[in-house]
Amino acid sequence: MRHIKTYQDIRTIIDGGDRRFVELLCDRMSAVQSAFRQAGATWNSDEFGYFCLVEEGDDVRDMRDVGLNPEDLGLIGAIKEVVLWHPGSRCWEAVVLYGGDYGMTFFIPDAPWLEPDLRAALVVEAVPHEEASPSSKEGMRF
């Protein structure tokens, strides 16, 4: 699993990555930072949470490293605040709140290797998300 806390972290997946997916990550990070600015605050990944990219080989049932234990079935059993389906990027975005102001946003590609139970849960929970236009790319430094 790749932890994404900065635009630089996103930059590491550009080579060989799907450009639409990279743009989605940049758009979402920009939206989070903008929402915090509008509230008069600054987003800090250590204080408020960060993005995680689920990758092939990740054990989505045991994600203790991001606070989701196997007793609760990891990401499969986590209570998700919202699950969005991004058709242009062929991925889900799942937000899990941990308490207080801390939450994690998981990006899960719809790939053949995806754990079937997680895929089934995401399909049931997801709402379609209109793809964001690449209008606000502040902070992108590629």
Side-chain angles (χ1 to χ4, degrees):
M1 178 175 348
R2 197 174 304 210
H3 297 208
I4 301 170
K5 298 181 179 185
T6 66
Y7 285 103
Q8 184 63 31
D9 295 336
I10 296 171
R11 187 174 188 198
T12 65
I13 63 173
I14 287 178
D15 294 331
D18 181 335
R19 187 70 186 163
R20 291 171 299 178
F21 184 68
V22 170
E23 287 176 1
L24 171 65
L25 290 173
C26 289
D27 284 344
R28 301 309 282 163
M29 183 169 286
S30 178
V32 167
Q33 291 177 349
S34 177
F36 273 83
R37 273 194 305 278
Q38 288 176 2
T42 302
W43 178 66
N44 175 322
S45 62
D46 293 327
E47 184 178 352
F48 298 111
Y50 50 92
F51 297 169
C52 289
L53 171 59
V54 175
E55 299 177 296
E56 185 172 9
D58 289 344
D59 183 356
V60 296
R61 292 176 182 273
D62 183 359
M63 300 177 82
R64 281 179 268 204
D65 62 325
V66 292
L68 301 175
N69 10 5
E71 296 80 26
D72 299 324
L73 296 178
L75 187 55
I76 297 168
I79 297 172
K80 298 160 197 76
E81 186 72 15
V82 66
V83 176
L84 300 174
W85 166 245
H86 297 280
S89 303
R90 305 264 334 135
C91 76
W92 288 275
E93 175 182 355
V95 178
V96 177
L97 299 180
Y98 289 71
D101 293 330
Y102 196 86
M104 302 285 279
T105 302
F106 296 89
F107 289 90
I108 307 110
D110 184 18
W113 49 259
L114 185 59
E115 211 281 355
D117 289 339
L118 177 57
R119 185 179 197 289
L122 293 169
V123 167
V124 168
E125 297 178 50
V127 294
H129 184 266
E130 187 175 311
E131 294 296 330
S133 66
S135 59
S136 61
K137 295 279 193 276
E138 53 190 83
M140 275 182 59
R141 293 176 187 87
F142 299 125

